[in-house]
Amino acid sequence: MAGSMKEIKLRIRSVESTMQITKAMQLVASSKLRRAKERVEHSRPYFETLYTTLFDIAAADMHFDSPYLAKRDTRRRLYIVIAGDRGLAGGYNNNILKMVEADAAGESYTVLPIGKKAVEFFARRSVPMLTQSFAEAGDLSVSDCFEISRLICKKFIGDEFDEIRLCFTQFVSMLTQTATILPILPFDAPRPKRERQTLMLYEPDSTTVFDSIIPEYLAGVVYGALCESVASEQGARRMAMDAATKNAGEMIEHLNLYYNRARQAAITQEITEIVAGANAES
């Protein structure tokens, strides 16, 4: 009985240590989440403005043409996949990686992974990777997003890929994060059925302006998706650590109950032995 009580006591201390770790990770995730949410709110207006500008240019002229609008038979597809550098974030990494795998089922494709978990996932499956230069999502900056944008624009214009999709986790709220796949090239803009008047003049011409803005727009989209993914990761980690802390608390309560029962049984056994000994002497 004493051995059983000692094992339960050791188990309680172990769970208490684990609960301290999960609680600390929850507080860290909450702190990082506040900063990540601010980055999301600040990044959204930038590429929304660029998208509106590109949309207006493409929609103003029914004869407008650009290599970034060219729709081809999709034989070579590139996925830009944003995942995390670490685990312990619930289903955050698994959801986006499995969605990419399902979307590309039965097709040959190439990935540009962002985040260590994305690199490890596709390396295990021997999926071709365009580059591993952006393997650490936590270290990516705005300049890195512009480098990614220039790279994918070069590959698309060079006819190396027919379609490019951006895969990230959209931050909806503290409790909701949604895995999303966004086609980014070719640029999807409805073509007008007839000419329409516009007061905007572009120098030297609308096509040159459009082609110059596209890399800026894509860099903004990638940066915005990165901010959304980081916020989603911290939100998912906060929820996962909160659940782990609560589970540890419940486990400690159950272990304390078992310990008290074992202690009560040990006391009862001692009393029984004392009474039995006293009766034997009398």
Side-chain angles (χ1 to χ4, degrees):
M1 187 63 70
S4 176
M5 290 174 61
K6 185 178 180 180
E7 290 175 2
I8 294 174
K9 201 69 176 177
L10 290 173
R11 180 64 173 164
I12 290 173
R13 290 175 183 171
S14 174
V15 175
E16 285 175 342
S17 298
T18 302
M19 188 168 73
Q20 290 177 351
I21 295 172
T22 57
K23 184 65 177 178
M25 292 183 68
Q26 178 189 347
L27 295 175
V28 171
S30 297
S31 176
K32 290 183 177 180
L33 178 59
R34 284 193 292 271
R35 296 196 297 270
K37 284 177 63 180
E38 291 177 0
R39 289 176 61 192
V40 170
E41 292 168 357
H42 293 158
S43 67
R44 282 174 178 169
Y46 174 75
F47 66 85
E48 286 175 356
T49 301
L50 288 179
Y51 177 80
T52 302
T53 303
L54 292 169
F55 184 90
D56 290 342
I57 294 174
D61 184 1
M62 63 183 299
H63 302 296
F64 178 82
D65 193 23
S66 167
Y68 293 110
L69 296 174
K71 289 181 170 31
R72 315 164 187 152
D73 293 335
T74 305
R75 299 186 304 275
R76 297 155 299 178
R77 182 177 291 168
L78 173 67
Y79 289 92
I80 304 171
V81 185
I82 303 177
D85 295 324
R86 296 184 296 126
L88 298 177
Y92 167 75
N93 290 308
N94 188 63
N95 290 343
I96 188 63
L97 296 173
K98 290 297 184 183
M99 176 175 279
V100 173
E101 201 171 41
D103 189 75
E107 300 180 8
S108 60
Y109 62 99
T110 303
V111 296
L112 193 162
I114 299 175
K116 292 181 180 178
K117 291 297 180 181
V119 174
E120 294 170 1
F121 180 85
F122 293 111
R124 287 196 301 267
R125 287 157 176 76
S126 301
V127 176
M129 296 186 219
L130 182 62
T131 177
Q132 295 187 33
S133 302
F134 311 100
E136 294 192 20
D139 292 340
L140 252 64
S141 62
V142 176
S143 61
D144 292 317
C145 295
F146 276 92
E147 186 177 345
I148 292 172
S149 173
R150 289 191 292 269
L151 175 63
I152 62 176
C153 285
K154 179 182 177 182
K155 297 295 182 181
F156 185 79
I157 294 298
D159 202 28
E160 293 188 38
F161 297 106
D162 302 311
E163 185 180 16
I164 298 175
R165 297 187 175 187
L166 178 62
C167 312
F168 65 103
T169 305
Q170 184 178 12
F171 181 80
V172 180
S173 68
M174 296 277 284
L175 301 176
T176 307
Q177 300 87 36
T178 307
T180 304
I181 296 180
L182 176 68
I184 55 176
L185 284 179
F187 185 80
D188 185 21
R191 311 309 301 275
K193 296 181 180 179
R194 57 186 177 83
E195 295 287 350
R196 66 186 181 103
Q197 294 293 326
T198 178
L199 300 178
M200 190 71 69
L201 296 177
Y202 300 99
E203 291 292 342
D205 55 71
S206 59
T207 302
T208 303
V209 173
F210 183 90
D211 292 347
S212 299
I213 294 178
I214 279 287
E216 300 278 337
Y217 164 72
L218 294 179
V221 170
V222 172
Y223 179 72
L226 181 64
C227 293
E228 297 264 0
S229 294
V230 170
S232 298
E233 180 181 6
Q234 298 305 330
R237 181 167 290 115
R238 179 186 174 278
M239 289 178 60
M241 293 301 101
D242 180 55
T245 302
K246 290 179 180 177
N247 289 338
E250 292 176 0
M251 188 178 293
I252 290 172
E253 289 181 5
H254 290 306
L255 288 171
N256 280 325
L257 180 61
Y258 296 148
Y259 178 80
N260 290 333
R261 287 177 179 173
R263 182 168 173 271
Q264 186 178 11
I267 294 172
T268 302
Q269 184 177 354
E270 288 180 9
I271 294 174
T272 302
E273 290 175 355
I274 292 171
V275 172
N279 289 338
E281 290 178 1
S282 62

